[in-house]
Amino acid sequence: LILAVPKLGVLLMIAKLALSALCYTLTIALSLSCTDARAKSEVVQEHEKFSVKAFIDASSFKQGKATTYTLTMHPKPGYKIKVETPFKAALSSDKEALFTPSSFTNKDFIDPETPNKSISSLLTPKIKGIHKIKADVTLFVCNEQLCERFKSAPVLEVTAY
């Protein structure tokens, strides 16, 4: 019995150290994952002939500070986004925010010569909290035979600090 008690004490000490190490590791892992989630925020809405990606650098998204919001339309192989036909996009938020600008046409593409078409806006959140940024997009996607009109409305959730 005297020999068993010291072994039990050693086992308890090892278990306590292992538990402390596990808690420390989990704390580090959780804080890194929270930092990564806050570092950039994006959402991709997939369609059969194209996709729409909304992106913002969430680490810069702070109350009263302008941050660049970018929306990019990616045509799938064999398709292209038309720049001559009507394109429009309107940005909105469920919380108070200022978009500069908030509406776009085909004249607002960052580089109309590239296959992927992008627009960007400066977004300034007026209040802290989770913002749901919505982009209502109407665009024409074409292949060699046909042009079709599509609508897309990706919603990007990002937290303003």
Side-chain angles (χ1 to χ4, degrees), residues 19-159:
L19 185 58
S20 294
L22 178 64
C23 288
Y24 179 75
T25 303
L26 286 174
T27 302
I28 297 291
L30 286 174
S31 49
L32 286 175
S33 67
C34 290
T35 303
D36 289 343
R38 191 176 162 215
K40 56 183 168 180
S41 188
E42 67 182 42
V43 65
V44 177
Q45 193 172 61
E46 293 288 340
H47 297 272
E48 181 182 340
K49 299 172 183 173
F50 67 99
S51 64
V52 178
K53 176 183 170 185
F55 173 82
I56 194 164
D57 180 359
S59 65
S60 300
F61 196 60
K62 297 182 177 142
Q63 180 182 11
K65 182 181 177 200
T67 305
T68 301
Y69 169 93
T70 304
L71 188 74
T72 303
M73 285 70 55
H74 302 271
K76 302 277 172 96
Y79 294 93
K80 61 183 174 178
I81 310 291
K82 289 297 268 186
V83 293
E84 300 85 19
T85 53
F87 164 85
K88 67 179 181 176
L91 304 178
S92 61
S93 174
D94 67 334
K95 299 245 184 345
E96 286 186 58
L98 174 65
F99 294 92
T100 310
S102 62
S103 60
F104 302 85
T105 68
N106 55 338
K107 295 179 175 97
D108 297 311
F109 290 131
I110 294 171
D111 184 356
E113 302 302 316
T114 62
N116 299 329
K117 306 298 183 236
S118 295
I119 55 174
S120 68
S121 176
L122 288 177
L123 170 56
T124 308
K126 293 184 177 182
I127 60 173
K128 294 179 180 182
I130 297 173
H131 290 251
K132 292 181 182 178
I133 312 300
K134 183 178 180 185
D136 286 306
V137 181
T138 303
L139 69 157
F140 282 80
V141 180
C142 306
N143 62 14
E144 294 299 322
Q145 293 84 28
L146 180 67
C147 280
E148 294 179 76
R149 180 178 170 209
F150 291 93
K151 290 187 177 228
S152 184
V155 176
L156 174 64
E157 288 189 25
V158 61
T159 303

